[in-house]
Amino acid sequence: MYAESLLENRTIDAPAEVEHDVDQPVENEATQQVERDLRRVPIHPDHWYPLAWSHEVKKGRAHGVHFAGDPIVLVRTETGKLFALEDRCAHRQVPLHAGVVEGESLRCCYHGWTYDCSGKCIDVPYLGKERLPNGVRAYPSREQGGLIFVFPGDPALADSRPVPELASVTDPKYKTRRLGREVKCHYSFMHENLMDMNHQFLHRRQMGNMRARSLGRRRGEDFVEVDYVFTREAGKQPIGESLVFGGGKKNETGTGGKDVMTVRTGYPYQTLQIRTASGTLVMDLWIAYVPLDAAQRTNRTFGVLSIRRPKVPFVMDLAWPLLVWFTERIFQEDRDIVEMEQEAHDKQGGDRNNEVFPVIRELRSLLRERGGRTVIPIYKA
Amino acid sequence: MYAESLLENRTIDAPAEVEHDVDQPVENEATQQVERDLRRVPIHPDHWYPLAWSHEVKKGRAHGVHFAGDPIVLVRTETGKLFALEDRCAHRQVPLHAGVVEGESLRCCYHGWTYDCSGKCIDVPYLGKERLPNGVRAYPSREQGGLIFVFPGDPALADSRPVPELASVTDPKYKTRRLGREVKCHYSFMHENLMDMNHQFLHRRQMGNMRARSLGRRRGEDFVEVDYVFTREAGKQPIGESLVFGGGKKNETGTGGKDVMTVRTGYPYQTLQIRTASGTLVMDLWIAYVPLDAAQRTNRTFGVLSIRRPKVPFVMDLAWPLLVWFTERIFQEDRDIVEMEQEAHDKQGGDRNNEVFPVIRELRSLLRERGGRTVIPIYKA
Amino acid sequence: MYAESLLENRTIDAPAEVEHDVDQPVENEATQQVERDLRRVPIHPDHWYPLAWSHEVKKGRAHGVHFAGDPIVLVRTETGKLFALEDRCAHRQVPLHAGVVEGESLRCCYHGWTYDCSGKCIDVPYLGKERLPNGVRAYPSREQGGLIFVFPGDPALADSRPVPELASVTDPKYKTRRLGREVKCHYSFMHENLMDMNHQFLHRRQMGNMRARSLGRRRGEDFVEVDYVFTREAGKQPIGESLVFGGGKKNETGTGGKDVMTVRTGYPYQTLQIRTASGTLVMDLWIAYVPLDAAQRTNRTFGVLSIRRPKVPFVMDLAWPLLVWFTERIFQEDRDIVEMEQEAHDKQGGDRNNEVFPVIRELRSLLRERGGRTVIPIYKA
């Protein structure tokens, strides 16, 4: 029903740019990097970042997370209100997430200093109310699509920046799977991995021999996107893949057209969408890579993958465990390889990538331009 | 019989200082710290430090320990004599504790170089006696109260400095429990933790809701001490606590007076004593925090806790396992929290404590003044 | 038949140098080391180093190894040809050993870039053949005596440097055992350990009380060697040792002569040979210590131990498991002690060895002179 069958059902206006894409002279990227090693560009804080799944923060509980080395505590009060504070007591700097939610406030576990949703200290049990010390920093927070978003940058900008909408999540025509893990690499490797579909060879055991063809790219101030079509070169389509891309048997559209996959980095998020020749969105992945440590050498991945339900809906439910297995295996392969890239970077002490694919060079340029202005200090391996 | 009942049985001359203590203006401690981050003040070496329990060093055996990064070997000879040497062979620097005790000397395990109790090299099997190389450093050592004390500083000062006396240990009216663990923090966090009884909130699961009131503090050249009384605010007294503080049932002294707890840092040691209204010492804790590593980010705690036996002595023996469990749980909570403090300090790269309790500010000043004169280099987390 | 019996069967011309060796004034080695801490001298790369056992690199497979921090991939093609490349794809620096051997070439697992035996990039699936990027470095490689040798230095010198011959390995009169482990120390500690036979005390549990006597040393431009004879001072000969050195029962040569053990460092390798009074080689050990990491704080040991078969050959086969156990135990003791030496060096931040044995001082001087010209940066413990 889905992807691959559709990949074959669409007339492709293979643009001249395809060949151009891969055949233009490979200029040395070093010139661009003299000023800025991409792996040392911090993610820009003035965006909404998912820091937890909604279910991780239960009523009346505090939950500790990190953004780029900053500890943040997410609190859901007894009435269900959500707030986010710096995860350090103003007194002795211990994590507030070890504390106790009392009504609409959070009490530190150690000496009982208490903070409200704005971070103000409202009680020190052994101190007069008139002498209360300063409190802690509060972060703007929002909840959407099963994710808790925090704005770690300048709070004055929070309202003007959009919280990501995850449209397919609430659309009953789609079934959604959430995926996420910690991955030990800079977020930029994640973007490059997903956007360069020439890495299908990595998944040959899961996917067989698939060949990607880029149909051309588009670049805006804050995004890069690229379209691909795929051809199976050898091997049988694995059952896992047929659940994502659709199976040959259900192919009712012939081989004249192909599904088109669009991968887009709309800073700082990434999406991957597959549309049929007739324009139906059959797969919709939204994903963010949130740096955890100050060196931004580890990210937590929050992915929301929505698959359009087939006409016989229970078919997908039956097959769902296989899809889970299939996506887990692929994600594991991607994780292993990007961690190897990070390890090589740390050992080499700099970025020696020799990129030949113009899409990825455009992406790298975007990530450099939109990233934070500071430089991550040298990482000591 | 003991603490809490007694806490309630004593008339308190609640001194004006109590309120004064907590209500005086909270000055910014930064001024004091410009010169000296407390967490980078090394412990002063010119004191007797316990480095092992007596039972850890068996006859005819060598035992390796550390003081602030210096490896030290404790040797008990076949005749029972104890001595302490630098734990590195003068030849190839391997640990002497891996060697063999031969009579009254210690032979290195590698090439057999042999040292006497003064550290002098008295044999190299393949070298003439007239050509023996220099030996290793010896440390003054003493044994008292089941502890092996070593003087790591200037040996010329050893005799003039008192070895701690643990009086209750040998008094049959008391039963003694030894407690100790490695804790991953600077020794100063340990002193502050025990002396600030406002941290009872941390032990709410073990102790219920206890409220401490400070009765005032005293400061001398080498000590700070503070008296407390306690009030139970809510909850039932746990059985573990009644073993330490005494149970309500055994309360024979009424509620007019209260037990008084005195916590004292007499540099570099700490004590916690509970006395009844009539002056009887019911609980007597002596404790030392010995830095293990050069960065002094880990300490080994040697605590000796003596509890006065009740009139029906077997009652305590039956209850002893509960007391062990109770103290272990509380010690575990304290250990967790001070390790979080250390972790925060390492991440923040400096001391951002915002202390409001005058007792602790006095203590911090004492620890700075009495500590070693050098500065611990920045700790690389 | 072998060692110890023979040790006793040989007339020794105990040279005057023996006493001279151990009794000459112990000069302070510091003068020599002002310029060069031996533990920071890198091994010289212009030699053939074993990087794997032959059986580790199977047909059609790639195998990743390291030399002094440099990742190297060993490839055995389907036709059995062996080659060695830098173990990083020229594209994104991921390890090539995770790739796929295709015919006589190696394809990277990620985007499928492909390299031939010279390191040339011969295919990028999504790029025109005329635009192929640069490839990766190739290393000269050889296979001999069950070992794969690589020349990590200047390739122009490879042919002029001899690949070690392991003569006893192919001689049916000997039975050979291969031994090797990773040891966490600088290679120089390994050389010193084996060459200083005064460390028999370390193996007292395995060997009993053996006393070594040095018969004198020889020094050439690229070697140091020393002869020893042994005397049993106390205890019974262990069964394991009798397999290596020969048992008393088989002693047919009387006690007039002794076996002679010669330990030689012929840079960068080491050998230990035991010969009878009549000159028969009864034990022949060849060993190399290959630094794995850039700091050269870990080495992989490749040892080839050949023992001359007794006249009743099956005797040795029956006893072989005992010999394996015996050599493993001894090697474990040596490994433990050299790792302690390295640990002491790292903590002390420099070489404080106080060597009194002239043979070892000569060896240290050789290792300094023949080592690489650079200095290993300070190791951060």
Side-chain angles (χ1 to χ4, degrees):
Chain A
M1 173 78 54
Y2 299 139
E4 197 188 5
S5 57
L6 299 160
L7 283 176
E8 293 163 2
N9 294 339
R10 196 180 180 187
T11 308
I12 301 170
D13 313 23
E17 195 186 355
V18 176
E19 291 312 309
H20 176 69
D21 250 24
V22 294
D23 283 344
Q24 67 179 247
V26 178
E27 26 167 298
N28 191 326
E29 222 177 352
T31 47
Q32 284 174 258
Q33 286 176 226
V34 166
E35 297 170 305
R36 224 159 145 67
D37 177 345
L38 175 57
R39 315 311 178 190
R40 295 178 60 192
V41 173
I43 212 161
H44 204 293
D46 289 340
H47 296 275
W48 290 97
Y49 288 96
L51 297 191
W53 302 106
S54 290
H55 67 80
E56 292 179 295
V57 188
K58 306 203 187 320
K59 261 194 189 175
R61 302 296 284 272
H63 181 68
V65 295
H66 281 89
F67 176 83
D70 292 339
I72 295 174
V73 58
L74 305 176
V75 178
R76 201 186 294 276
T77 70
E78 292 292 355
T79 63
K81 196 187 158 193
L82 190 84
F83 63 86
L85 304 178
E86 182 184 355
D87 193 12
R88 282 186 180 122
C89 181
H91 179 209
R92 297 183 66 88
Q93 314 298 320
V94 297
L96 288 172
H97 75 253
V100 177
V101 177
E102 286 185 359
E104 302 300 297
S105 61
L106 179 61
R107 185 176 292 276
C108 177
C109 72
Y110 199 0
H111 301 82
W113 293 31
T114 305
Y115 304 89
D116 70 10
C117 67
S118 71
K120 192 180 148 197
C121 181
I122 58 172
D123 186 38
V124 172
Y126 51 97
L127 210 65
K129 295 281 180 202
E130 70 285 7
R131 301 200 174 280
L132 288 175
N134 289 331
V136 297
R137 177 178 175 186
Y139 293 88
S141 61
R142 299 279 189 280
E143 198 160 6
Q144 191 150 295
L147 284 166
I148 295 173
F149 288 90
V150 166
F151 197 87
D154 178 358
L157 302 174
D159 283 340
S160 67
R161 297 287 158 94
V163 181
E165 281 183 56
L166 308 171
S168 301
V169 170
T170 49
D171 185 336
K173 289 196 294 295
Y174 295 84
K175 175 153 182 162
T176 295
R177 166 162 161 66
R178 296 167 195 288
L179 20 91
R181 291 283 168 81
E182 283 191 25
V183 186
K184 291 188 185 4
C185 73
H186 190 255
Y187 61 90
S188 61
F189 289 110
M190 306 297 289
H191 282 270
E192 295 178 56
N193 170 268
L194 191 64
M195 190 164 279
D196 189 349
M197 280 291 146
N198 297 308
H199 87 269
Q200 289 300 317
F201 185 65
L202 181 66
H203 305 304
R204 61 198 177 276
R205 288 184 209 85
Q206 318 303 324
M207 308 276 275
N209 198 347
M210 295 278 281
R211 169 68 55 103
R213 286 186 66 204
S214 138
L215 304 184
R217 64 186 195 275
R218 292 171 289 281
R219 166 76 194 260
E221 200 189 340
D222 64 352
F223 76 90
V224 172
E225 63 182 17
V226 56
D227 296 329
Y228 290 102
V229 288
F230 290 85
T231 318
R232 174 163 303 285
E233 300 220 312
K236 234 173 70 177
Q237 185 187 37
I239 189 155
E241 182 196 305
S242 73
L243 296 165
V244 178
F245 288 96
K249 275 166 135 184
K250 298 184 189 298
N251 184 346
E252 295 159 4
T253 42
T255 55
K258 280 181 183 288
D259 287 1
V260 173
M261 175 191 283
T262 303
V263 185
R264 174 187 172 101
T265 290
Y267 195 90
Y269 318 112
Q270 202 166 37
T271 55
L272 183 157
Q273 297 184 317
I274 300 177
R275 282 190 172 76
T276 64
S278 57
T280 306
L281 178 65
V282 290
M283 179 170 146
D284 187 9
L285 171 69
W286 178 94
I287 196 158
Y289 315 108
V290 181
L292 298 179
D293 56 325
Q296 308 205 9
R297 258 55 194 154
T298 300
N299 70 84
R300 188 174 177 195
T301 295
F302 291 88
V304 179
L305 173 66
S306 299
I307 309 267
R308 193 176 171 91
R309 294 173 184 276
K311 279 160 193 167
V312 192
F314 69 86
V315 171
M316 175 174 274
D317 293 329
L318 286 173
W320 197 250
L322 274 174
L323 181 132
V324 170
W325 174 87
F326 181 69
T327 50
E328 285 296 320
R329 288 290 293 270
I330 286 183
F331 191 66
Q332 178 66 47
E333 288 173 341
D334 284 327
R335 185 165 49 159
D336 288 346
I337 201 78
V338 291
E339 292 186 347
M340 286 177 192
E341 289 192 277
Q342 181 66 59
E343 209 178 327
H345 180 275
D346 292 337
K347 280 193 185 155
Q348 294 178 323
D351 194 349
R352 301 207 195 153
N353 280 14
N354 176 23
E355 195 47 65
V356 297
F357 188 36
V359 171
I360 299 305
R361 296 165 70 188
E362 198 85 89
L363 170 64
R364 289 160 65 93
S365 144
L366 175 82
L367 294 173
R368 273 195 203 90
E369 287 168 24
R370 307 298 298 184
R373 290 298 99 194
T374 57
V375 174
I376 298 172
I378 287 282
Y379 178 66
K380 290 145 198 149
Chain B
M1 172 79 54
Y2 299 140
E4 198 188 5
S5 58
L6 298 161
L7 283 176
E8 293 164 4
N9 293 339
R10 196 179 179 190
T11 308
I12 302 171
D13 313 26
E17 196 188 354
V18 176
E19 291 311 308
H20 175 70
D21 250 23
V22 293
D23 283 344
Q24 66 179 246
V26 178
E27 27 167 299
N28 191 326
E29 221 176 350
T31 46
Q32 284 173 258
Q33 287 175 226
V34 166
E35 296 171 303
R36 225 158 144 66
D37 176 346
L38 175 55
R39 315 312 177 190
R40 295 178 61 192
V41 172
I43 211 163
H44 203 294
D46 288 340
H47 296 275
W48 289 96
Y49 288 95
L51 298 191
W53 302 107
S54 289
H55 68 80
E56 292 180 295
V57 188
K58 306 202 189 319
K59 262 193 190 173
R61 301 296 285 271
H63 181 69
V65 295
H66 281 89
F67 175 83
D70 291 339
I72 295 174
V73 58
L74 306 175
V75 178
R76 201 185 297 276
T77 68
E78 292 292 354
T79 64
K81 197 188 157 190
L82 189 84
F83 64 87
L85 304 179
E86 182 185 354
D87 193 12
R88 281 187 181 122
C89 182
H91 180 208
R92 298 184 66 89
Q93 314 297 321
V94 296
L96 287 173
H97 75 253
V100 177
V101 176
E102 287 184 359
E104 301 300 299
S105 61
L106 179 60
R107 184 177 292 275
C108 176
C109 73
Y110 200 178
H111 300 83
W113 292 31
T114 305
Y115 304 90
D116 70 11
C117 67
S118 72
K120 192 179 147 196
C121 182
I122 57 171
D123 186 37
V124 172
Y126 51 98
L127 209 64
K129 295 283 179 199
E130 69 285 6
R131 301 200 173 278
L132 289 174
N134 289 330
V136 297
R137 178 178 174 185
Y139 292 89
S141 61
R142 298 278 188 282
E143 198 160 7
Q144 191 150 295
L147 284 167
I148 294 173
F149 288 90
V150 165
F151 197 88
D154 177 358
L157 301 173
D159 283 339
S160 66
R161 298 287 158 93
V163 181
E165 281 183 54
L166 308 171
S168 302
V169 170
T170 48
D171 184 336
K173 291 195 293 295
Y174 294 84
K175 175 153 182 161
T176 295
R177 167 163 160 64
R178 297 167 195 286
L179 21 91
R181 289 284 168 83
E182 283 190 25
V183 186
K184 289 187 187 3
C185 74
H186 190 254
Y187 60 90
S188 61
F189 289 110
M190 306 298 289
H191 281 271
E192 295 178 57
N193 170 269
L194 191 65
M195 190 165 278
D196 189 348
M197 280 291 146
N198 296 308
H199 88 269
Q200 289 301 316
F201 184 67
L202 180 68
H203 304 304
R204 62 199 177 275
R205 289 183 209 87
Q206 319 302 326
M207 308 277 274
N209 197 346
M210 295 278 281
R211 170 66 57 102
R213 287 186 65 204
S214 138
L215 305 183
R217 65 185 194 276
R218 293 172 290 281
R219 166 77 194 259
E221 198 190 341
D222 65 351
F223 77 90
V224 172
E225 64 181 19
V226 55
D227 296 329
Y228 290 102
V229 290
F230 290 85
T231 319
R232 173 162 303 285
E233 300 222 309
K236 235 174 68 177
Q237 184 188 37
I239 189 156
E241 181 195 306
S242 73
L243 296 165
V244 178
F245 288 97
K249 276 166 134 184
K250 298 184 188 300
N251 183 349
E252 293 158 7
T253 43
T255 56
K258 280 182 181 287
D259 289 358
V260 173
M261 177 191 283
T262 303
V263 185
R264 172 187 174 101
T265 290
Y267 195 89
Y269 318 112
Q270 202 167 36
T271 55
L272 183 157
Q273 296 184 317
I274 301 177
R275 282 190 172 74
T276 64
S278 57
T280 306
L281 179 66
V282 290
M283 179 171 146
D284 187 10
L285 171 69
W286 178 94
I287 196 159
Y289 316 107
V290 182
L292 298 179
D293 56 325
Q296 308 206 8
R297 258 56 193 151
T298 300
N299 70 84
R300 189 175 177 194
T301 295
F302 291 89
V304 178
L305 173 66
S306 298
I307 309 269
R308 193 176 170 91
R309 294 172 183 279
K311 279 161 193 167
V312 192
F314 70 85
V315 170
M316 173 173 277
D317 292 331
L318 284 173
W320 198 249
L322 275 172
L323 180 131
V324 170
W325 174 86
F326 180 69
T327 50
E328 284 295 320
R329 289 290 292 268
I330 286 183
F331 191 66
Q332 178 67 48
E333 288 174 341
D334 284 327
R335 187 165 47 158
D336 288 346
I337 201 78
V338 292
E339 292 186 348
M340 286 176 192
E341 290 192 277
Q342 180 65 60
E343 209 178 329
H345 180 275
D346 291 337
K347 280 193 184 155
Q348 295 178 323
D351 194 349
R352 302 209 193 151
N353 280 14
N354 175 23
E355 195 47 63
V356 298
F357 188 36
V359 171
I360 298 305
R361 295 165 71 188
E362 198 84 89
L363 169 64
R364 290 161 65 91
S365 144
L366 175 81
L367 293 174
R368 273 195 204 90
E369 288 167 23
R370 307 299 297 184
R373 291 298 99 195
T374 56
V375 175
I376 297 172
I378 287 283
Y379 177 67
K380 289 146 201 147
Chain C
M1 174 77 55
Y2 299 140
E4 196 186 8
S5 59
L6 298 162
L7 283 176
E8 294 163 3
N9 294 339
R10 197 179 180 188
T11 307
I12 302 170
D13 313 25
E17 196 187 354
V18 175
E19 291 312 306
H20 176 70
D21 250 22
V22 293
D23 282 343
Q24 67 179 245
V26 178
E27 26 165 300
N28 192 325
E29 223 176 349
T31 45
Q32 285 174 258
Q33 285 176 227
V34 165
E35 297 170 302
R36 222 158 146 69
D37 177 346
L38 174 56
R39 315 311 177 190
R40 295 177 61 194
V41 173
I43 211 163
H44 204 294
D46 288 339
H47 297 274
W48 289 97
Y49 288 95
L51 297 192
W53 302 106
S54 291
H55 67 81
E56 292 180 294
V57 189
K58 305 202 189 318
K59 262 194 189 174
R61 301 297 284 271
H63 181 68
V65 295
H66 282 88
F67 176 84
D70 292 339
I72 296 174
V73 57
L74 305 176
V75 178
R76 201 186 296 276
T77 68
E78 292 293 354
T79 63
K81 197 187 157 194
L82 190 84
F83 63 88
L85 305 179
E86 182 185 355
D87 193 12
R88 282 185 180 123
C89 181
H91 179 209
R92 297 183 67 89
Q93 315 296 320
V94 296
L96 288 173
H97 75 252
V100 176
V101 176
E102 287 184 359
E104 302 300 299
S105 62
L106 179 61
R107 185 177 291 275
C108 177
C109 72
Y110 200 178
H111 300 83
W113 292 30
T114 305
Y115 304 90
D116 69 10
C117 66
S118 72
K120 192 178 147 196
C121 182
I122 57 172
D123 185 38
V124 172
Y126 50 99
L127 210 63
K129 295 283 179 200
E130 69 286 6
R131 299 200 174 281
L132 289 174
N134 289 331
V136 298
R137 177 178 175 185
Y139 293 88
S141 61
R142 299 277 187 281
E143 198 160 6
Q144 191 150 296
L147 285 166
I148 294 174
F149 288 89
V150 166
F151 197 88
D154 178 358
L157 301 174
D159 283 339
S160 66
R161 298 288 158 93
V163 181
E165 281 182 55
L166 308 171
S168 301
V169 171
T170 48
D171 184 337
K173 291 195 292 295
Y174 295 84
K175 175 154 183 162
T176 295
R177 168 163 159 65
R178 298 168 195 286
L179 20 91
R181 291 283 169 84
E182 283 191 26
V183 185
K184 289 188 185 4
C185 74
H186 189 256
Y187 61 89
S188 60
F189 289 110
M190 305 297 289
H191 281 270
E192 295 179 56
N193 171 268
L194 191 65
M195 190 165 278
D196 188 348
M197 280 291 145
N198 296 308
H199 87 269
Q200 290 301 316
F201 185 66
L202 181 67
H203 305 303
R204 60 199 177 276
R205 288 183 209 86
Q206 318 304 325
M207 309 276 276
N209 197 347
M210 294 279 280
R211 171 65 57 101
R213 286 186 65 205
S214 136
L215 304 183
R217 65 187 193 275
R218 292 171 290 280
R219 165 78 194 259
E221 199 190 341
D222 64 351
F223 76 91
V224 172
E225 63 182 18
V226 55
D227 297 328
Y228 290 102
V229 290
F230 290 85
T231 318
R232 173 162 304 285
E233 299 221 312
K236 235 174 69 179
Q237 184 188 38
I239 188 155
E241 182 196 305
S242 73
L243 296 165
V244 178
F245 288 97
K249 276 168 135 183
K250 298 185 187 298
N251 182 347
E252 295 160 3
T253 41
T255 55
K258 280 181 183 287
D259 288 359
V260 173
M261 176 191 283
T262 302
V263 185
R264 173 188 173 101
T265 291
Y267 195 88
Y269 318 112
Q270 203 167 36
T271 55
L272 183 157
Q273 296 184 317
I274 300 177
R275 283 190 172 75
T276 64
S278 58
T280 306
L281 179 65
V282 290
M283 179 172 146
D284 187 10
L285 171 69
W286 179 95
I287 196 159
Y289 316 108
V290 181
L292 297 179
D293 55 325
Q296 308 206 7
R297 259 54 194 154
T298 301
N299 70 83
R300 188 174 177 196
T301 295
F302 291 89
V304 179
L305 173 65
S306 298
I307 309 267
R308 193 177 170 92
R309 295 172 183 277
K311 279 163 194 164
V312 192
F314 70 86
V315 170
M316 174 174 274
D317 293 329
L318 285 172
W320 196 249
L322 275 173
L323 180 133
V324 169
W325 175 86
F326 180 70
T327 50
E328 283 297 320
R329 290 290 291 269
I330 287 183
F331 191 66
Q332 178 67 47
E333 289 173 341
D334 284 326
R335 186 164 50 158
D336 288 348
I337 202 77
V338 291
E339 292 186 348
M340 287 176 189
E341 290 192 277
Q342 181 66 60
E343 209 178 328
H345 180 275
D346 291 337
K347 281 194 183 155
Q348 295 178 322
D351 193 350
R352 301 208 194 152
N353 279 14
N354 176 22
E355 194 48 63
V356 298
F357 188 35
V359 171
I360 299 305
R361 296 165 71 190
E362 198 85 89
L363 170 64
R364 290 161 65 91
S365 144
L366 175 81
L367 293 173
R368 273 193 204 90
E369 288 168 23
R370 306 300 297 184
R373 291 298 98 194
T374 57
V375 175
I376 297 172
I378 287 283
Y379 177 67
K380 291 146 198 146

